[in-house]
Amino acid sequence: MLDSRLVRTLPIAAPLLGLVALLVTWGSKPHGLAVAIVAFVLAASVLSAVHHAEVIAHKVGEPFGSLVLAVAVTIIEVGLIITLMTSGSGDAATLARDTVFAAVMITMNGIIGLSLLVRTSKGGVARFNAEGSGAALATVATLATLTLVLPTFTTSTPGPVFSSTQLAFAAICSIVLYGSFVLMQTVRHRDYFLPVGSTSEDEHADPPTTREACVSAALLMVALIATVGLAKVESKPIEDAVTSAGLPQSAVGVIIALLVLAPETIAAVRAAKRGRTQTSFNLALGSAIASIGLTIPAIALASNWLDGPLELGLTATHMVLFVISVLVAALTLVPGRATLQQAMVHLVLFASFLVLAVNP
């Protein structure tokens, strides 16, 4: 009875507790025990966000459910990046690049790899719609190339930066591609993003009522705000720890991206465990598209009020990782089915990204 009450109470209490913790700690520099408490509340907020996202997904169905979490997290991620850039935390010139590229690597290798590992670990074969996943990957590759690779090679402005005209063009392209993908995912070719061969037992459960879905939507936003806000509160201790350990400041962007994408990661893994590999891919690739398609235009607009250059161009090491990741992802998605070997390849690439992030 106690466990049942706890299960029902925690998703409601955690976002509210997270919001209280955010209000208490905002603008402060927690130390010692306070850092540990904030980390605990942050973890509870992440789990709560996953629960409410799944409630909404069950109500609206796929692919809208995946889209809700991806867009919600990315919008708040944009706010976090801009807040950190304006506050002078870390290297503001490269913070957007580091965070967005980390999000791409986390989604394209980390989330996909974990989802395939969970789905195929018992000898099964993961099946999904190659049409939808392939289109999503093509969009990710195009967006990342236009916004993160090309700035390294342009010559109008010295350094890995766009000129004002180039940045505006990249922002417009990002909005156009993101908008066209959402249209395809939710209207024109919605069937390409529906789960294939699902074994989920909750498919036949009654969907939540409209009132329950609305409450979950409100609590989801509170949980996401608490998650990203507490991640910002933790960013200073993380930055200090990174500096003390002699790690590059780009590692801060990676850690923040890992925290912000935790709800989507958990939701994707849980979907894969229930046999809904397509839902996992919708979350992973949809998050990557939203991360670039919404972040770059917002940063481009904010750059008018930010001091200093905005370095978007990737380093040579990151470009190598990006190219091999796109190639591997294409080989994974084209057949429409994958085995444990593909999971291990993606996870090795993700591990390589993490190692090079702390030891470039």
Side-chain angles (χ1 to χ4, degrees):
M1 179 67 69
L2 180 60
D3 291 341
S4 177
R5 289 179 180 176
L6 182 61
V7 169
R8 292 196 302 267
T9 304
L10 183 60
I12 299 174
L16 302 178
L17 182 61
L19 193 59
V20 171
L22 178 60
L23 293 174
V24 171
T25 59
W26 187 260
S28 64
K29 298 179 180 180
H31 298 283
L33 181 61
V35 173
I37 293 175
V38 170
F40 175 79
V41 175
L42 175 59
S45 298
V46 167
L47 294 175
S48 176
V50 173
H51 169 80
H52 293 298
E54 291 183 337
V55 171
I56 297 171
H58 192 195
K59 176 65 177 178
V60 303
E62 285 295 323
F64 298 99
S66 301
L67 187 64
V68 168
L69 183 57
V71 173
V73 169
T74 305
I75 289 175
I76 301 178
E77 177 188 338
V78 170
L80 175 61
I81 293 174
I82 294 177
T83 301
L84 291 175
M85 291 177 70
T86 55
S87 66
S89 178
D91 191 347
T94 60
L95 181 60
R97 179 199 68 188
D98 295 336
T99 306
V100 171
F101 182 67
V104 172
M105 289 292 103
I106 291 168
T107 54
M108 195 159 55
N109 286 317
I111 297 180
I112 286 180
L114 283 174
S115 298
L116 290 177
L117 178 65
V118 169
R119 181 68 183 88
T120 63
S121 59
K122 295 182 180 180
V125 175
R127 298 185 183 278
F128 44 87
N129 277 309
E131 295 91 344
S133 300
L137 177 63
T139 307
V140 172
T142 302
L143 281 171
T145 300
L146 288 176
T147 59
L148 300 177
V149 176
L150 284 183
T152 304
F153 300 100
T154 55
T155 58
S156 297
T157 306
V161 298
F162 273 144
S163 66
S164 298
T165 301
Q166 292 167 342
L167 183 59
F169 176 74
I172 293 172
C173 288
S174 298
I175 294 174
V176 169
L177 285 175
Y178 178 72
S180 63
F181 176 77
V182 171
L183 178 65
M184 182 190 74
Q185 185 183 33
T186 59
V187 180
R188 298 293 295 274
H189 299 289
R190 181 171 175 264
D191 55 315
Y192 287 176
F193 298 89
L194 298 179
V196 174
S198 174
T199 59
S200 175
E201 296 180 359
D202 63 0
E203 283 186 337
H204 304 291
D206 293 333
T209 64
T210 301
R211 179 178 178 275
E212 291 172 336
C214 290
V215 170
S216 285
L219 289 173
L220 172 62
M221 292 307 301
V222 173
L224 290 173
I225 291 172
T227 297
V228 178
L230 292 176
K232 183 185 184 305
V233 171
E234 291 280 272
S235 66
K236 183 58 179 175
I238 291 172
E239 183 181 338
D240 293 340
V242 166
T243 302
S244 300
L247 301 176
Q249 282 299 309
S250 60
V252 175
V254 176
I255 296 172
I256 296 301
L258 286 169
L259 290 173
V260 171
L261 289 171
E264 290 164 304
T265 303
I266 297 173
V269 170
R270 290 177 65 173
K273 188 178 294 185
R274 297 196 300 267
R276 300 170 68 88
T277 309
Q278 185 61 50
T279 299
S280 301
F281 285 7
N282 290 347
L283 283 164
L285 297 173
S287 298
I289 293 170
S291 181
I292 305 173
L294 297 178
T295 300
I296 297 303
I299 297 300
L301 184 62
S303 64
N304 294 317
W305 296 279
L306 295 175
D307 296 328
L310 179 63
E311 296 185 12
L312 292 176
L314 296 175
T315 64
T317 301
H318 285 165
M319 277 190 281
V320 170
L321 280 175
F322 172 67
V323 170
I324 187 62
S325 296
V326 171
L327 290 175
V328 167
L331 293 174
T332 297
L333 299 179
V334 166
R337 59 189 184 277
T339 65
L340 181 62
Q341 181 61 25
Q342 280 96 333
M344 298 309 298
V345 173
H346 281 282
L347 290 175
V348 165
L349 284 173
F350 180 58
S352 301
F353 165 70
L354 294 179
V355 170
L356 292 172
V358 300
N359 188 20

